[in-house]
Amino acid sequence: MDCVATGGNVKALAKAIHSLSKIGEELYLEPQDNGLALRSVNSSRSAFACFLLSPLFFQRYRTDPDHSFRCKIPIKSVQAVFKSISSLERSVEKCHIQMNSEKNRLTVALHCKHGLLKTHNLSYQDSESLQAVFDKESCANVLRAQPRLLVDAVLHFPLSQEEVTVSVKSDRVWLRNRVEDDADPSRAMMTELCLSAEEFDHFSIGAETSITFCLKELRGLLVFAESSGLPISVFFSQPGSPVVLNVSDSVLEVNFVLATLSEGLSASWTKATKNSSAKTTPPPDDFMSDDMDSYLIAMETSELPGPSVDPQPCTINHRMQLGSESEEEEEEQIDRPPNKKFCSVFFGSVLHNSQLTNQTVQRQQVLASDSEDEQ
Amino acid sequence: MPLSTQSQAGDEQYVLVASLDNVRNLSNILKAITFREHAIFNATKNGLKVTVEDSKCLQANAFIQADIFQEFTIKEDSVGFQVNLTVLLDCLTIFGGSTVPGVSTALKMCYNGYGYPLTLFLEEGGVVTVCKINTQEPEEPLDFDFCSTNVTNKVILQSDSLKEAFSELDMTSEILQITMSPSQPYFRLSTFGNSGNAHYDYPKDSDMMELFQCTKTQTNRYKMSLLKPSTKALALSCKVSVRTDSRGFLSLQYLVRNDEGQICFVEYYCCPDEEVEEE
């Protein structure tokens, strides 16, 4: 791989790295024929981000067709290269990224004013491709707004606020902070704001719904969108299925895929048990015999259509599947539910339900049975 | 001169009297060498030299010429004492070290000779504070024997270009490697940290390079922890001269312009780390 970015695109590249650093610990880098893909996923695999910088983004973009190459790098070390955006803007004229497979180093050379050359040779690890499977086109709801609108809206929530709930009606959107179930109601502060459809560039609501997702990643994307001045498109359907945030122009495409909470889980649970009481409680072994990969991701499990359940009226399939990288990591995922917080948010409502027979089972199993019964 | 004239009475007894209208001209430059508590002061007719050392490997000197002071009277050829630099700086900034233009603290610094405390009269807005700091037996400063005739390589750079590099240096690297060469890479700073290595190359024809005199390729490593304090001096300075001698010893000289536009110098000497094979 050999590519060169110049001028304002160096800043865009730096901003992309900073955005990705809000997602996960590692940067997955993959030079593809259609551009350089920079990806990251969080430890609980509930958030995924991909920046695809097309060959036109670069002044020069060359990949080795015979030798496909993918790697992951601790994002902190890449961030260090692009540490100060302001000095980058002021002094960097050209950024040259090159793969040195002999030395196992990724070389990032920054050509600065006054002839100063900064060369960073970063060590990396080989990795499998990281890919999320999602279908934003089939989402019922699509909103598109200028970054400013969302930046101003998000500004009202404190930095400590973890999740935000977005509710849509045919003509307006509400943003609300999500108060934890165990929070003291006398101390909790509710913030709610309403945006009219007119404020959006595009506003099409196919299904009135309400979704809750993490703010941190959204903030990460907003930083990028604001600096590039590109509108953000939001695709979503219902609670529990991922929300896709997209920013694109002619030379780059950004997709953030974030898990949403399955708020209405307990209701659908009751419905499901009524409809198919015979099939509800799957044998715990079922989990083991099934496709493991599909259970790894919390967001997906709540989405998988139960094998024995009749097709639902809602046939849209918003699946998000993350290609797993290595055995080692898979096991790690199974061994410990990565983000307790997320688990509890996801399945809190299920656990309350007394109908649940295997309450004492491990979280991961709940994760599985949950998915079987949800729809 | 806003300082009260009353204290002038007993001036005859002092071996050293130095007055400044703006104490920042002294305190700022002392901050540039504050990395150890003890500072050796040595005054001669030419001015004041303050020395701080670390681990017998690093020495920093600040020179404040006699003409920076409004009054500089010395009764002996050389007057030496040692004080706690942190305490001295606390005293010098006792009025808060305001940077508001037009508001400045005046200083009169007196020393009575061996065994006496260092007496500071500080005045701001008509308020006078008298500080007495006990002096210590002066230690003999290290002689790095850094002689300009033994200098192998020398470059003078505008500080701005080095400031950026030093602010970005990978601090997970234990050493900073400096390469100076008459051919490529001319002047290179390298770090070897957790995430890989990084090189900062300055071409000899850069606008930032004021002087380039390299006779022989030299690569030396210096402990990052030792060089870290020098960034304080770098931050104040407008130009820096980087020299290495035949033994690989490093001399960093910083040209510092004070509030009045007068020039002072801060100098760092550092021993090279043990020779290590190049990567």
Side-chain angles (χ1 to χ4, degrees):
Chain A
M1 180 189 65
D2 180 17
C3 52
V4 175
T6 53
N9 285 358
V10 181
K11 188 189 160 194
L13 182 62
K15 286 273 182 187
I17 303 288
H18 283 271
S19 274
L20 285 165
S21 72
K22 298 267 192 270
I23 302 279
E25 299 286 315
E26 266 155 342
L27 173 72
Y28 290 76
L29 195 126
E30 185 178 353
Q32 299 170 169
D33 291 339
N34 61 344
L36 179 65
L38 306 171
R39 304 186 178 102
S40 192
V41 65
N42 69 353
S43 60
S44 58
R45 307 210 146 207
S46 60
F48 165 88
C50 175
F51 284 76
L52 183 68
L53 309 172
S54 85
L56 286 172
F57 178 88
F58 299 97
Q59 191 186 52
R60 181 167 83 219
Y61 183 81
R62 256 184 244 137
T63 53
D64 187 353
D66 310 326
H67 183 74
S68 76
F69 155 79
R70 291 177 205 103
C71 71
K72 57 176 179 181
I73 310 175
I75 203 149
K76 281 209 172 76
S77 49
V78 190
Q79 229 184 330
V81 176
F82 300 101
K83 202 171 179 180
S84 155
I85 302 267
S86 64
S87 88
L88 214 68
E89 241 182 323
R90 204 171 51 235
S91 67
V92 177
E93 288 167 346
K94 194 166 90 172
C95 171
H96 187 177
I97 304 171
Q98 208 177 3
M99 193 53 234
N100 189 338
S101 46
E102 274 168 38
K103 280 190 178 171
N104 270 345
R105 290 278 196 266
L106 181 82
T107 303
V108 183
L110 301 172
H111 298 257
C112 308
K113 285 207 175 102
H114 311 295
L116 171 59
L117 173 66
K118 301 175 185 173
T119 315
H120 296 264
N121 298 306
L122 306 173
S123 39
Y124 64 80
Q125 275 179 285
D126 286 325
S127 79
E128 295 299 309
S129 182
L130 178 74
Q131 190 57 273
V133 181
F134 55 90
D135 183 9
K136 58 177 190 275
E137 302 310 325
S138 60
C139 283
N141 303 320
V142 183
L143 310 176
R144 188 166 64 244
Q146 291 302 315
R148 198 68 246 168
L149 180 72
L150 295 178
V151 168
D152 288 346
V154 165
L155 213 62
H156 296 284
F157 299 102
L159 280 175
S160 57
Q161 182 62 42
E162 292 192 19
E163 288 119 18
V164 67
T165 302
V166 174
S167 310
V168 286
K169 286 262 158 59
S170 58
D171 60 343
R172 53 190 62 204
V173 179
W174 283 267
L175 275 84
R176 205 176 307 129
N177 63 331
R178 182 177 184 281
V179 180
E180 292 298 319
D181 297 333
D182 52 357
D184 180 359
S186 61
R187 290 187 165 198
M189 184 178 73
M190 287 291 292
T191 308
E192 185 178 296
L193 61 105
C194 177
L195 299 170
S196 141
E198 291 150 23
E199 303 210 46
F200 290 81
D201 298 355
H202 180 85
F203 195 91
S204 89
I205 300 303
E208 295 187 353
T209 184
S210 175
I211 56 163
T212 302
F213 54 92
C214 282
L215 257 179
K216 187 180 145 207
E217 289 85 7
L218 172 64
R219 285 198 169 105
L221 178 65
L222 285 176
V223 168
F224 179 83
E226 202 186 11
S227 79
S228 57
L230 295 172
I232 298 176
S233 304
V234 187
F235 300 86
F236 59 100
S237 292
Q238 65 201 39
S241 59
V243 55
V244 181
L245 304 159
N246 173 280
V247 168
S248 42
D249 76 355
S250 55
V251 294
L252 57 86
E253 184 182 358
V254 187
N255 283 302
F256 275 49
V257 185
L258 311 178
T260 63
L261 299 190
S262 316
E263 299 263 18
L265 212 57
S266 81
S268 58
W269 165 276
T270 326
K271 213 167 90 190
T273 34
K274 235 180 256 168
N275 291 351
S276 49
S277 49
K279 308 160 194 162
T280 39
T281 322
D285 306 1
D286 203 31
F287 167 58
M288 303 311 289
S289 60
D290 240 306
D291 174 24
M292 296 279 252
D293 282 14
S294 51
Y295 291 109
L296 290 178
I297 312 126
M299 68 180 87
E300 194 193 22
T301 50
S302 54
E303 261 319 292
L304 275 177
S308 48
V309 179
D310 298 335
Q312 295 291 304
C314 172
T315 49
I316 312 157
N317 197 5
H318 334 259
R319 299 184 54 175
M320 173 178 168
Q321 210 155 29
L322 293 165
S324 56
E325 308 140 52
S326 59
E327 288 294 327
E328 194 189 341
E329 242 184 274
E330 279 176 31
E331 275 160 27
E332 194 182 279
Q333 291 283 334
I334 293 165
D335 282 349
R336 56 169 178 97
N339 189 335
K340 276 189 181 161
K341 175 125 174 84
F342 237 92
C343 285
S344 66
V345 224
F346 267 109
F347 307 111
S349 48
V350 177
L351 289 169
H352 283 309
N353 200 316
S354 56
Q355 293 180 1
L356 190 64
T357 50
N358 47 355
Q359 267 186 24
T360 49
V361 293
Q362 287 174 352
R363 284 234 157 97
Q364 202 61 43
Q365 282 173 315
V366 175
L367 206 128
S369 61
D370 179 17
S371 72
E372 302 290 328
D373 299 318
E374 202 234 318
Q375 292 201 328
Chain B
M1 182 76 199
L3 198 68
S4 160
T5 48
Q6 286 174 0
S7 59
Q8 304 283 333
D11 268 7
E12 297 79 33
Q13 56 178 318
Y14 296 121
V15 293
L16 173 73
V17 178
S19 307
L20 266 174
D21 285 349
N22 185 358
V23 75
R24 274 168 48 81
N25 292 344
L26 178 65
S27 58
N28 270 354
I29 204 149
L30 291 183
K31 278 178 196 159
I33 59 164
T34 311
F35 54 88
R36 274 283 177 268
E37 291 226 315
H38 298 290
I40 308 159
F41 281 70
N42 185 45
T44 62
K45 276 184 193 56
N46 297 325
L48 191 62
K49 177 182 163 189
V50 188
T51 306
V52 181
E53 293 177 343
D54 186 15
S55 315
K56 301 263 180 226
C57 294
L58 179 75
Q59 183 183 72
N61 296 300
F63 301 96
I64 305 113
Q65 297 97 293
D67 56 7
I68 302 279
F69 296 93
Q70 272 65 49
E71 182 195 355
F72 194 84
T73 320
I74 181 165
K75 294 218 181 109
E76 292 166 17
D77 288 343
S78 161
V79 174
F81 55 90
Q82 187 173 312
V83 291
N84 186 315
L85 189 57
T86 323
V87 172
L88 175 64
L89 271 172
D90 284 347
C91 292
L92 293 178
T93 52
I94 204 156
F95 287 107
S98 157
T99 52
V100 180
V103 181
S104 62
T105 310
L107 164 76
K108 180 162 168 173
M109 184 166 71
C110 307
Y111 180 58
N112 222 350
Y114 185 80
Y116 284 92
L118 179 70
T119 309
L120 308 173
F121 300 91
L122 290 136
E123 189 263 6
E124 187 177 307
V127 180
V128 179
T129 303
V130 183
C131 309
K132 287 188 179 172
I133 305 170
N134 285 344
T135 54
Q136 301 154 336
E137 191 79 38
E139 278 170 30
E140 189 62 34
L142 293 172
D143 182 6
F144 277 73
D145 194 23
F146 195 96
C147 180
S148 51
T149 50
N150 286 336
V151 167
T152 315
N153 295 314
K154 176 181 182 179
V155 298
I156 297 179
L157 283 156
Q158 288 188 19
S159 298
D160 283 339
S161 61
L162 270 189
K163 277 177 201 168
E164 195 184 310
F166 271 83
S167 68
E168 288 175 8
L169 284 183
D170 179 0
M171 286 302 160
T172 63
S173 173
E174 266 185 39
I175 54 109
L176 175 69
Q177 180 176 294
I178 300 180
T179 305
M180 290 163 99
S181 168
S183 56
Q184 278 214 320
Y186 306 114
F187 180 64
R188 164 178 276 193
L189 304 174
S190 310
T191 53
F192 305 86
N194 294 341
S195 58
N197 57 54
H199 305 288
Y200 288 74
D201 295 351
Y202 295 80
K204 66 172 181 178
D205 52 1
S206 165
D207 314 341
M208 290 290 163
M209 190 76 77
E210 302 228 333
L211 182 86
F212 185 86
Q213 280 176 355
C214 292
T215 56
K216 191 173 153 241
T217 303
Q218 249 188 334
T219 300
N220 293 299
R221 297 180 157 200
Y222 305 92
K223 282 233 169 356
M224 190 69 96
S225 56
L226 287 175
L227 286 185
K228 190 86 229 297
S230 72
T231 47
K232 291 183 190 172
L234 181 65
L236 283 177
S237 67
C238 47
K239 280 180 198 179
V240 53
S241 151
V242 183
R243 298 181 298 165
T244 52
D245 72 4
S246 49
R247 302 164 302 165
F249 279 59
L250 176 71
S251 147
L252 298 165
Q253 290 175 321
Y254 301 93
L255 187 148
V256 179
R257 229 176 262 282
N258 69 15
D259 292 353
E260 273 76 53
Q262 295 161 307
I263 287 168
C264 295
F265 288 96
V266 175
E267 180 180 63
Y268 273 79
Y269 289 118
C270 188
C271 294
D273 219 23
E274 283 172 78
E275 283 298 320
V276 192
E277 289 293 304
E278 227 181 298
E279 202 192 45

